Amino acid sequence: MLPAPQNYAIYPSVVPADIPVEMTIIPRERAFLLREGEEYQLCIISINDDEPSYYFPSARHELKAVAHNGILQFTDTFPEEQPHMIILSQGESKLAEWTVYSLREDLYSLRPLKGDLHSHSFRSDGKRDPAALAGHFREQGYEFFALTDHNRYYPGGEIDEVYQGVHMGLTRVYGEEVHAPDSVIHIVHVGGRESVAAKYLNHRAEYDRAVEEYMQRVPAHVPGQYHDRYAKAMWAVDQIHQAGGLAIFPHPFWRPAKSQNYNVRNDFARILLQSGMFDAYELVGGMGQAGNNQSVAMWADLRSEGLKISVVGSSDVHGIEKSATFRNLFTLCFAKENTNDAIVDAVKNGRSVAVEASGEGAERQYRCYGDFRLVSYAQFLLKHYYPQLQRICQGEGVAMRAYAMGEAEKELIELQAAQAENFSLRFLGKKPPVLPSAEILAFEEKWRDVQRSGPQTKGSGVNFPPVTMQI
């Protein structure tokens, strides 16, 4: 279920902290153009202000603004990094309520991006075509995803070829899931410019010689039973880094169907995470809820011991039809731009949050993991930004799948991608909102005159006095 329609929007909804910002309230529909020359009241509550009494709250301030050309504009300063509630009223009538978020410059300058860094297609053991899977992700409001088929880097190239020359809102991050020969350790490789799996698949003798050399470098504290797997993990991670990619340690509490044992023993998982070789930990993924709970608990223990590692959430999706993970496990990162390299940089430098979601509509809940500052901002985005963005992205995702089968033109995708981008830039304060044109203002005034001259009946509480008697 997508968000209910609202009569008004406020832009920007993400603002720089501690400096004056011009805010604009605009109608979402023509009938709700604000009345020319009339005064409206604004109540602004900074959520993290010190409030001495919740019985008689005083940590808020009031503003007045006069409507002109169907909109309201006012200037205010939003202190510190926190959410702020803004309530619009006229007289005794509350017309709208929003939350905006103020950020310090370092985070304000970055772009929030929603994505998945671990997914599979029909080219390995998944159930969906690679290009179609891209459309399914975009339909859910994703801005990036990595196709990480098992020991296969090339299926991502199918996506690039199908959509070559099409300007989309979804970035395809390079990827593969690396399984070194005779090792149960899986490593998700994202962002690198070449395949790592191809090296041991196509040049096995060279790989075997390299692993023998890495065996000599296994730290002394690693138990002997793990030496072979540890050496192969070191080799794979080094190759990923040489390719320019991220090495993500995934799903230690996954239980393969045949063995029913954990993919990696708990003590070995701790050793691998503490080794410093991995760039990120897939904190929540395709392990089932019990496995994800254990993963979060282990991460908490390791953090208390001083471990610092980026975290991501991934669906590890194979088939979306009955998947409990698709659209419910994902990553938010904060990047300079929506590109492969910028996303890699954001995750590598700790600017990512792992997210678990559950429920639908108003009951949808999010559990976010990462640094407190990023989690606080992520919670705001998941409630106020991403549901609106998804509403726009849905059509683009459907059009992508139709285009892949020759049933739509690329212009249909590009127009919707541009609409999504424009919304994002306005919400995030990087572009001014579109104001009502003179034609729209004249149109609404004409029809308001018609409404005024008609019978007295219940109608808009915004543009006319309340009616107490009806014909």
Side-chain angles (χ1 to χ4, degrees):
M1 183 184 296
L2 292 172
Q6 302 294 321
N7 294 345
Y8 299 97
I10 191 165
Y11 294 109
S13 292
V14 177
V15 300
D18 300 315
I19 63 172
V21 181
E22 183 178 74
M23 307 294 292
T24 302
I25 296 171
I26 63 173
R28 291 183 179 270
E29 301 173 11
R30 295 184 180 204
F32 301 107
L33 287 165
L34 294 160
R35 288 180 284 179
E36 184 70 21
E38 294 203 9
E39 187 176 79
Y40 295 81
Q41 296 80 45
L42 294 152
C43 175
I44 303 176
I45 303 169
S46 297
I47 304 301
N48 196 39
D49 264 6
D50 182 28
E51 179 57 77
S53 170
Y54 49 76
Y55 292 110
F56 305 100
S58 58
R60 56 188 61 198
H61 69 282
E62 310 282 343
L63 295 174
K64 295 180 179 179
V66 176
H68 180 58
N69 288 336
I71 67 168
L72 279 180
Q73 289 185 310
F74 65 97
T75 299
D76 200 21
T77 299
F78 298 90
E80 303 177 3
E81 196 163 85
Q82 60 177 316
H84 310 264
M85 182 183 294
I86 300 178
I87 303 169
L88 173 67
S89 304
Q90 188 175 42
E92 299 299 317
S93 299
K94 177 181 171 180
L95 304 182
E97 178 181 304
W98 309 273
T99 301
V100 303
Y101 207 99
S102 56
L103 295 171
R104 294 193 290 273
E105 176 57 30
D106 61 332
L107 191 49
Y108 180 74
S109 66
L110 300 174
R111 178 77 174 261
L113 297 170
K114 176 183 177 181
D116 192 328
L117 293 171
H118 189 174
S119 68
H120 298 281
S121 80
F122 193 71
R123 300 307 183 201
S124 63
D125 60 344
K127 296 182 179 180
R128 300 259 62 86
D129 170 82
L133 185 61
H136 285 293
F137 273 111
R138 186 56 173 168
E139 187 176 351
Q140 295 298 325
Y142 283 64
E143 294 154 293
F144 68 88
F145 95 107
L147 180 59
T148 54
D149 276 331
H150 299 280
N151 289 323
R152 292 167 173 86
Y153 182 87
Y154 65 82
E158 289 188 46
I159 300 171
D160 298 340
E161 184 173 343
V162 168
Y163 299 114
Q164 185 175 8
V166 182
H167 299 289
M168 304 185 300
L170 181 75
T171 293
R172 201 275 291 185
V173 177
Y174 309 126
E176 63 186 341
E177 188 164 3
V178 174
H179 310 175
D182 302 318
S183 174
V184 296
I185 299 173
H186 292 200
I187 301 172
V188 175
H189 163 209
V190 297
R193 301 288 175 167
E194 62 179 355
S195 173
V196 170
K199 296 183 179 182
Y200 53 73
L201 293 173
N202 301 330
H203 307 282
R204 180 60 184 268
E206 292 179 23
Y207 163 78
D208 288 338
R209 286 194 295 271
V211 170
E212 286 299 320
E213 295 177 7
Y214 274 85
M215 285 286 287
Q216 309 306 312
R217 296 163 46 186
V218 175
H221 70 273
V222 177
Q225 71 195 81
Y226 302 139
H227 277 203
D228 179 73
R229 282 169 280 175
Y230 192 98
K232 289 173 179 176
M234 284 197 298
W235 175 88
V237 169
D238 281 352
Q239 296 301 309
I240 290 169
H241 289 159
Q242 288 177 26
L246 286 174
I248 302 174
F249 181 58
H251 55 55
F253 298 98
W254 165 53
R255 295 169 62 191
K258 288 187 177 181
S259 73
Q260 285 299 306
N261 299 104
Y262 288 141
N263 185 49
V264 179
R265 265 177 58 97
N266 294 346
D267 62 331
F268 192 25
R270 291 175 62 94
I271 289 170
L272 289 167
L273 286 167
Q274 291 171 323
S275 71
M277 72 171 86
F278 290 98
D279 302 295
Y281 178 28
E282 187 181 272
L283 185 67
V284 290
M287 298 177 283
Q289 192 59 59
N292 286 334
N293 290 345
Q294 290 173 282
S295 178
V296 171
M298 184 172 69
W299 176 62
D301 286 351
L302 290 170
R303 289 187 88 189
S304 71
E305 297 167 13
L307 176 70
K308 287 184 67 69
I309 189 170
S310 300
V311 293
V312 298
S314 299
S315 67
D316 192 3
V317 66
H318 288 69
I320 69 173
E321 298 83 352
K322 297 181 180 179
S323 173
T325 63
F326 180 65
R327 72 180 286 270
N328 289 327
L329 296 170
F330 54 88
T331 299
L332 292 188
C333 73
F334 304 90
K336 295 177 182 178
E337 57 185 351
N338 190 7
T339 63
N340 179 88
D341 292 351
I343 291 163
V344 167
D345 178 76
V347 175
K348 188 173 185 177
N349 287 287
R351 301 194 304 270
S352 60
V353 171
V355 183
E356 288 182 293
S358 60
E360 298 293 337
E363 302 302 316
R364 192 155 173 81
Q365 300 291 321
Y366 300 96
R367 293 170 294 281
C368 303
Y369 307 101
D371 289 345
F372 178 81
R373 183 186 181 200
L374 298 182
V375 166
S376 299
Y377 183 31
Q379 290 180 142
F380 162 80
L381 293 167
L382 290 165
K383 182 176 181 179
H384 300 284
Y385 173 60
Y386 278 107
Q388 296 187 67
L389 180 61
Q390 186 196 347
R391 182 188 287 274
I392 303 170
C393 294
Q394 276 191 307
E396 185 185 347
V398 172
M400 285 171 64
R401 297 199 301 276
Y403 174 84
M405 294 303 295
E407 298 174 0
E409 301 297 323
K410 75 170 189 174
E411 288 78 12
L412 180 60
I413 299 172
E414 293 177 340
L415 286 170
Q416 293 178 97
Q419 185 182 14
E421 178 69 4
N422 284 331
F423 165 75
S424 295
L425 293 175
R426 289 168 183 136
F427 188 99
L428 300 171
K430 312 304 182 184
K431 189 174 184 178
V434 175
L435 305 181
S437 66
E439 290 77 12
I440 289 175
L441 293 167
F443 177 96
E444 178 56 24
E445 189 57 36
K446 179 185 74 173
W447 285 101
R448 286 183 182 181
D449 285 342
V450 173
Q451 186 176 357
R452 291 187 188 100
S453 62
Q456 188 181 39
T457 183
K458 288 185 177 179
S460 169
V462 177
N463 299 312
F464 302 95
V467 174
T468 57
M469 185 171 65
Q470 183 172 349
I471 295 175

